[in-house]
Amino acid sequence: MARRSIWKGAITFGMVAIPSKLYSATEDTDISLHQYHKECGSRISMPKYCGKCQKMLASADITKGYEVGDSYVPLSEADFQSLPLKSVKTIEVVEFVDESQIDIRCYDKPYFLASDEGGYKAYKLFVQAMAESKLVAVAKLAYRERERLAIVRPYQGVMMLQTLRYADELKDFSDLKPMEYPISDKEIDLAVSLVKAMAVPQFDLAKYHDEYRQALERLIEAKIAGEVLPVAQEAPAPVSDVADALLASLKLVEAKR
């Protein structure tokens, strides 16, 4: 099946413009659940209904708009595309930074950027320049009715664009910091030893799976077969002696190895 782009335009840095297409880099694998009427078992639909006209509406009958008092200002797709912003048609690179300076809370969804016809050489040059400089591009992109901040980085020979959250979208967390509490050298040593014992030389993403989704699949299969599955274990209680718990955990890890 042909890959379908979700945005088409150009990525620019300086006077260089690279015709580009944007593609999703991930896909959801959630199990789709629906709502049903308990009494008759019918699936619940979500109709688009106009209360004033008292009738169901098709997508063609619906427009977007901004509420003003008792009325609204209609806004069409042509209006969104005509906004006087470079980022509507262009992924505009505004600066390059060391990625370590970016707050990890900012990172949102990843996408792949592919070169369109006529931009292959500049695309490859841009990828190689970022790889050698060890810098990432900060860019702006208007997509789905808002201007998004993003970084563009080289990723195994292609460009990856990852949207970022703005500073005003990041919540303060100072009230979540733990209270000051005395920690002994023994406890620190045991905790460090446990961390090192559980360390692996190479992270392998492929060995991890969504166990919740797998358990949900088994639950659905069991219900179809009229079987009953064992219930989940309760969360463990807080330990009274941290040092003893660390030592027991360390022995357990070492025994497994």
Side-chain angles (χ1 to χ4, degrees):
M1 192 167 99
R3 191 185 291 265
R4 183 180 176 185
S5 65
I6 57 176
W7 181 93
K8 183 177 181 179
I11 180 169
T12 65
F13 66 111
M15 301 297 291
V16 180
I18 308 170
S20 304
K21 292 181 179 180
L22 195 67
Y23 299 89
S24 294
T26 59
E27 63 179 350
D28 293 329
T29 57
D30 296 341
I31 295 175
S32 296
L33 299 178
H34 307 287
Q35 294 181 324
Y36 294 85
H37 185 192
K38 281 185 179 180
E39 186 175 320
C40 69
S42 298
R43 181 172 163 180
I44 304 300
S45 60
M46 299 296 176
K48 294 179 179 178
Y49 180 79
C50 176
K52 181 178 179 180
C53 299
Q54 296 188 347
K55 66 177 183 179
M56 303 295 182
L57 301 178
S59 295
D61 301 322
I62 299 171
T63 185
K64 293 180 180 177
Y66 181 80
E67 187 174 347
V68 180
D70 295 330
S71 186
Y72 76 99
V73 178
L75 294 168
S76 67
E77 187 59 33
D79 292 322
F80 297 128
Q81 291 299 320
S82 65
L83 289 171
L85 293 171
K86 288 182 180 179
S87 56
V88 172
K89 300 287 186 181
T90 304
I91 298 174
E92 180 190 7
V93 173
V94 292
E95 60 187 8
F96 290 87
V97 299
D98 185 322
E99 193 172 358
S100 64
Q101 298 175 15
I102 300 174
D103 190 324
I104 60 173
R105 294 176 297 162
C106 294
Y107 291 108
D108 206 358
K109 190 171 181 180
Y111 299 87
F112 287 126
L113 260 174
S115 174
D116 209 353
E117 189 173 348
Y120 302 119
K121 182 176 180 179
Y123 180 95
K124 187 173 182 179
L125 180 64
F126 193 16
V127 170
Q128 190 167 334
M130 284 192 292
E132 291 189 11
S133 65
K134 294 182 171 58
L135 296 176
V136 297
V138 178
K140 294 190 293 184
L141 165 68
Y143 175 58
R144 290 182 177 169
E145 297 164 24
R146 65 175 296 191
E147 185 174 67
R148 299 173 188 273
L149 192 63
I151 62 164
V152 179
R153 65 159 74 88
Y155 181 81
Q156 299 183 21
V158 299
M159 286 189 213
M160 176 179 282
L161 180 146
Q162 192 158 11
T163 52
L164 301 177
R165 295 186 180 277
Y166 288 99
D168 60 1
E169 295 179 288
L170 305 181
K171 290 188 174 182
D172 178 68
F173 58 92
S174 56
D175 61 317
L176 302 178
K177 292 183 178 180
M179 295 183 294
E180 290 296 327
Y181 206 88
I183 298 175
S184 68
D185 291 341
K186 178 185 176 182
E187 289 169 331
I188 294 174
D189 290 342
L190 284 170
V192 170
S193 297
L194 179 58
V195 169
K196 289 182 177 179
M198 295 179 67
V200 294
Q202 181 67 44
F203 174 66
D204 180 12
L205 182 62
K207 75 178 183 180
Y208 294 97
H209 305 280
D210 183 352
E211 295 185 28
Y212 184 94
R213 179 168 64 90
Q214 293 172 344
L216 183 56
E217 288 173 344
R218 288 195 296 270
L219 174 63
I220 293 170
E221 291 169 358
K223 280 185 171 288
I224 292 172
E227 299 172 354
V228 178
L229 292 180
V231 298
Q233 296 180 350
E234 293 293 330
V239 295
S240 56
D241 191 310
V242 176
D244 286 347
L246 286 169
L247 185 58
S249 301
L250 186 57
K251 288 179 179 178
L252 182 62
V253 171
E254 291 173 344
K256 287 183 178 179
R257 292 192 170 184

